[in-house]
Amino acid sequence: MLILDNSGCRLSRRFIDPHEVDSEINRLKSAIQATSDQIAQDRDSVTREIGEEYGHIFGAHLSILTDKKLLRDLEEPIRQHNYSAEYAVTEVFDRQADMLRRVAGTLYSERANDVVDIKVRLLRQLMGVHQNSLAHLDRPVILLAASLTPSETSNLDRDNVLGFATEEGARGSHTAIVASALQIPAVLGIGRFLADVQEGDRVILDGDKGLLILNPDAETTRKYQQIIDRQKSVSQRLFSRSSAPAITQDGTEIQVFGNIEYHYESRICDINGAAGIGLYRTEFLYLGADLASLPTEEDHFQAYRTVIEAMGPNRVTTIRTFDLGADKLPSGLTTEIVEANPFMGVRSIRLSLKYQDMFRKQLRAILRASAFGPIRIMFPLVSTILEFRNAKSIFLDVCEELDEAGVPFDHSIPIGMMLEVPASIIMIHTFVKEVDFFSIGTNDLTQYSLAVDRGNKGVDFLYNSEDPAILQLVHRAIQVATMYDKPISICGQISSDPNNTMLLIGLGLRHFSVAPGVIPVIKDLCRNVTVKECEEVAKKALFMETARDIRNYLRLETDKKLGTGWTAEE
Ligand code: PEP
Ligand code: MG
């Protein structure tokens, strides 16, 4: 088990042996001395280079850290409770920061940030600078953390992180989506629990039910071992038929595509029998990059070409132009774009239209890659027809540029858009005239329709893509697109849950895009149903009044069909 505190530092040991108290205090004193020396150096070089008023900031840090009372406060829990130095530092500094935050006024909240800053420096000193790297671990761990960003999650050591649980975050967040793409079991937004665990505790992480069980008894451990064995054998059985088409019992083919974030996931889609890539979240190329290392046109091109070649000449790759902004910002842009309401702000297609050089660079790479296999281009978060037209006219301009330069590309690439803002579904009758295809993004559609922040645990109970209001919007989108003969698919997380497959077929969808790991189970389910019975299920669900009723009903109907023991018993 690996435990991180709320500043991302590892807390490996909470207690020491009583005979270690004196040496622990000496270790703490040396760390304070070394940290003070570092801060003094920073103060001097900042004063020299940009002026005394900035150097004062570090001077203030230095006087906090060398305060005699602070040392007494830190020594006390080590002596009284045998806390490790790291744990004492976390406790004392967090308490101080909390107190400062409770006092109104920006001066005090800045002081609280100073305290956190010093804490992190001191912890790094105590633990060594390399302690933070989660990309290369030396053993398999379950990671327990206050929070993880999407880019931190994408950089986890996938061979050694068996799963993770966080205090903050929520099911609909991009962190949860990345975890699911990387097939890392995750439970997000548990609330405060880090104070109750320590290195050496045994835990069971149940990503299906969203549970973290601390120090389970023998009976619980035995039950979970049985579930793991059963799931392994079901996976093997489903995997053996994953490349066969998904044809319902009454003869309708359902095409199951894969959602990917990284080019290498196209291999998993291929092995799992995907009909193509239904959503390539290209913004993940940027995450973790700073302004100096933003992806070049060549980086884009190589990534797209890898995916297109993995899909071969008969399976399409749907490339969504970058959906940056809000919780997905390269670190270089975090200082440029500071917004009170980032999910309502310069996000997604709006960011592409604002930073057109970045957008054009991506479009050039996509066009160049189109010479290697079939692709479609999809714009995210389109709210109005003018936005779609603007984005498309930039695309046509880039096409002209490449033509003039004699660069080969596919001249008949379909241009589609996500339906993830309620306004775009309300106005879909105008979009159908200009858009080549649609993909419904229920993750954002749920957030914007129900006014629920998808990453906020406090309102997570309201965040249900099976909410009756969302089903009405999805139903309308499918009806209008079908009436105008426009291809329509769905790529929000709703389609990655097998419990929703019958509903979505019944609503009229014949194309789904899902997390790569669930493609075999969804295809298997499609083979076990008739379109007619799915239509009955959808009809009943559309009349229900609450998300809970809809979910319970769909689970019952799916259990009748799956009968595989895929999900854990209640
Ligand atoms: C969606 O909003 O449903 C979607 C697929 O986009 P993302 O999850 O990347 O915001
Ligand atoms: Mg979205």
Side-chain angles (χ1 to χ4, degrees), residues 174 281 320 323 328 347 380-381 418 420 441 443-445 454:
H174 286 112
R281 290 183 165 101
R320 179 174 79 177
D323 179 18
K328 293 186 286 192
R347 183 194 160 193
L381 211 83
M418 303 269 305
E420 50 185 346
N443 305 338
D444 278 311
L445 187 62
R454 61 193 270 189

Side-chain angles (χ1 to χ4, degrees), residues 183-412:
Q183 300 189 33
I184 302 176
V187 180
L188 281 91
I190 293 180
R192 290 212 159 221
F193 70 89
L194 288 176
D196 301 327
V197 283
Q198 62 171 317
E199 181 98 348
D201 282 351
R202 292 179 63 240
V203 292
I204 291 177
L205 184 83
D206 179 343
D208 288 335
K209 290 213 198 106
L211 290 178
L212 178 73
I213 303 169
L214 298 182
N215 295 315
D217 59 20
E219 177 55 19
T220 311
T221 308
R222 195 189 55 76
K223 200 180 104 194
Y224 269 95
Q225 194 51 57
Q226 277 179 354
I227 294 171
I228 291 168
D229 294 344
R230 199 168 57 212
Q231 288 193 344
K232 271 193 189 146
S233 87
V234 172
S235 298
Q236 271 160 10
R237 184 166 56 75
L238 293 178
F239 182 68
S240 66
R241 347 187 251 249
S242 62
S243 57
I247 300 179
T248 62
Q249 305 221 324
D250 45 0
T252 298
E253 179 163 6
I254 308 296
Q255 299 216 301
V256 185
F257 293 75
N259 286 347
I260 64 169
E261 287 71 36
Y262 298 98
H263 62 80
Y264 50 79
E265 290 175 86
S266 54
R267 285 252 327 121
I268 311 172
C269 291
D270 183 34
I271 294 167
N272 283 353
I277 303 298
L279 168 66
Y280 183 177
R281 290 183 165 101
T282 59
E283 60 276 10
F284 280 80
L285 269 171
Y286 295 80
L287 298 191
D290 53 35
L291 267 192
S293 65
L294 285 180
T296 60
E297 182 180 321
E298 201 53 26
D299 296 333
H300 282 281
F301 169 73
Q302 292 300 346
Y304 306 150
R305 184 175 166 174
T306 308
V307 176
I308 292 167
E309 290 186 338
M311 289 296 106
N314 300 318
R315 289 182 294 182
V316 76
T317 297
T318 311
I319 302 181
R320 179 174 79 177
T321 57
F322 57 73
D323 179 18
L324 289 168
D327 60 340
K328 293 186 286 192
L329 263 186
S331 46
L333 284 182
T334 46
T335 43
E336 282 219 22
I337 302 180
V338 180
E339 299 172 300
N341 263 321
F343 274 99
M344 303 282 203
V346 185
R347 183 194 160 193
S348 208
I349 196 67
R350 302 168 189 178
L351 194 138
S352 305
L353 295 174
K354 179 164 178 184
Y355 295 94
Q356 289 194 14
D357 287 348
M358 259 167 85
F359 190 38
R360 284 170 169 272
K361 181 163 67 180
Q362 178 178 39
L363 290 171
R364 265 197 308 275
I366 298 175
L367 283 166
R368 283 172 52 205
S370 74
F372 295 85
I375 68 155
R376 310 192 296 176
I377 293 179
M378 178 158 78
F379 298 136
L381 211 83
V382 175
S383 315
T384 69
I385 189 73
L386 287 181
E387 243 169 3
F388 180 81
R389 286 181 190 151
N390 276 344
K392 188 164 173 185
S393 82
I394 294 173
F395 164 77
L396 292 174
D397 205 40
V398 176
C399 287
E400 242 177 78
E401 224 175 81
L402 291 199
D403 264 337
E404 277 165 22
V407 178
F409 65 90
D410 176 359
H411 284 75
S412 55

Side-chain angles (χ1 to χ4, degrees), residues 383-386 388-389 417 423-435 438 476 480 484:
S383 315
T384 69
I385 189 73
L386 287 181
F388 180 81
R389 286 181 190 151
M417 62 177 263
S424 67
I425 296 188
I426 293 166
M427 296 304 290
I428 186 170
H429 53 282
T430 57
F431 287 103
V432 280
K433 297 173 198 146
E434 300 180 34
V435 176
F438 298 100
R476 169 173 163 77
V480 178
Y484 284 84

Side-chain angles (χ1 to χ4, degrees), residues 57-84:
I57 301 170
F58 293 97
H61 284 198
L62 202 54
S63 46
I64 295 176
L65 191 57
T66 48
D67 181 7
K68 291 252 165 12
K69 177 164 180 328
L70 175 77
L71 183 62
R72 281 199 303 277
D73 286 350
L74 288 169
E75 278 186 31
E76 194 208 85
I78 300 177
R79 289 193 193 287
Q80 301 286 325
H81 307 295
N82 295 348
Y83 281 180
S84 66

